[in-house]
Amino acid sequence: MDDYILRPYAPGDRDGCAALWEQVFGDPAELVTQFLSLFEAQEGFCLLAEHSGEIAAAAYSLPGLTVLRPGRPDLPARYLYAVATHPVHRKNGLAAALCRGLRDDAFVQGALLLTKPAEPSLYPWYAEKIGAVPAMPCRRVTVTTPCGGDVTPLTPKQYSTVREARLSGVPHVRLPDALFVWEHLLHKHYGGGFYAVNGGIADIYAGESLELPELLADVPEAAAGALLRQFGAREATACLPGDEEDYISCAAPDSLTDSLPDVWFGPVFG
């Protein structure tokens, strides 16, 4: 670690961060630049490791989330996202150091730090490195039978507004508008969108199969079936509020994670 400088993001880092993201995750640098332009004015949104003037690793802490728990105090939160280390610089503890730094910054602000591990095997890594434990569960439903229904596209702002109305009185995380704009940029690049369906709403990535990071509907199977017909896909897998799988990990400055099992997070943004 002696050869590395850990520091906050600066505007001149945009191209270097975009190139690192593209190499590690595969998203084109042009798309990542749009992400950076959405968030870079937010203080503390990115911490990076520099080596000989080059960006060796970066991690992002997205602000503006609020955990709403009816009858209990609201909790501010940040979202840990896109932790990336250049292959040449791995095995040096950079990712852990960046995540700890962002966690500590969140705690100073009195905020939880939430994250969705890229795969189940990473839950123990986040638990060891920053004390993040699974806290907000979901369940998944796969539907293969198309059916009729009303499907209408929504703008990011429309989706966010309808989402909050639908979740009124339900423990959930209210997400800032910038995250829905980022999700919409991902939709435009990879296919999909925000939709109203059968009186509910869905966040969709479309291809031969549909991936629904969020589906909020009275009858989820019927809503997913309507989307199957609309997109001509062979199956749809939807993420719904529930308690069957670990979904979000949470690092908290105290035992607050014990009060989050019934809280719905929602889309995890690509």
Side-chain angles (χ1 to χ4, degrees):
M1 288 287 291
D2 292 343
D3 294 332
Y4 296 93
I5 299 171
L6 270 59
R7 62 172 179 82
Y9 174 96
D13 296 319
R14 181 183 288 190
D15 290 345
C17 283
L20 174 65
W21 184 313
E22 181 175 32
Q23 178 167 28
V24 173
F25 300 117
D27 300 309
E30 296 85 354
L31 178 62
V32 180
T33 297
Q34 293 177 289
F35 166 83
L36 295 171
S37 67
L38 274 173
F39 291 100
E40 63 186 3
Q42 303 281 345
E43 184 177 355
F45 105 105
C46 174
L47 190 62
L48 54 84
E50 183 181 304
H51 182 272
S52 300
E54 300 292 330
I55 296 175
Y60 301 85
S61 175
L62 307 183
L65 291 74
T66 305
V67 180
L68 303 177
R69 304 173 302 162
R72 290 176 288 178
D74 296 345
L75 302 172
R78 299 180 71 96
Y79 187 64
L80 178 63
Y81 188 56
V83 180
T85 304
H86 190 286
V88 170
H89 298 284
R90 289 174 184 167
K91 308 297 185 184
N92 288 306
L94 298 179
L98 294 177
C99 289
R100 283 194 295 268
L102 293 173
R103 176 203 60 191
D104 294 347
D105 287 346
F107 287 2
V108 166
Q109 299 168 32
L112 310 178
L113 188 64
L114 308 177
T115 193
K116 173 63 169 71
E119 54 189 54
S121 64
L122 290 176
Y123 280 107
W125 188 90
Y126 281 101
E128 176 188 352
K129 303 303 182 184
I130 63 171
V133 297
M136 299 179 182
C138 75
R139 62 188 177 96
R140 297 188 185 278
V141 170
T142 298
V143 174
T144 58
T145 304
C147 63
D150 297 322
V151 178
T152 306
L154 298 173
T155 66
K157 183 61 177 177
Q158 288 172 330
Y159 185 89
S160 174
T161 300
V162 175
R163 180 180 187 269
E164 284 305 305
R166 186 170 187 90
L167 291 171
S168 177
V170 175
H172 71 284
V173 179
R174 183 173 62 213
L175 304 168
D177 288 344
L179 281 174
F180 291 104
V181 173
W182 170 234
E183 184 80 333
H184 189 56
L185 291 171
L186 289 166
H187 291 152
K188 293 198 316 189
H189 184 79
Y190 291 108
F194 294 120
Y195 286 85
V197 53
N198 291 5
I201 55 170
D203 174 16
I204 302 170
Y205 284 94
E208 290 186 7
S209 298
L210 300 184
E211 292 293 332
L212 281 58
E214 179 171 69
L215 176 60
L216 301 174
D218 293 337
V219 185
E221 292 81 3
L227 293 167
L228 278 181
R229 174 164 290 180
Q230 177 76 14
F231 285 91
R234 59 182 177 82
E235 68 175 22
T237 299
C239 195
L240 317 172
D243 56 1
E244 296 178 9
E245 302 176 41
D246 293 330
Y247 187 50
I248 294 292
S249 274
C250 175
D254 49 36
S255 61
L256 282 171
T257 50
D258 294 339
S259 69
L260 302 179
D262 60 343
V263 174
W264 168 243
F265 183 86
V268 293
F269 311 103

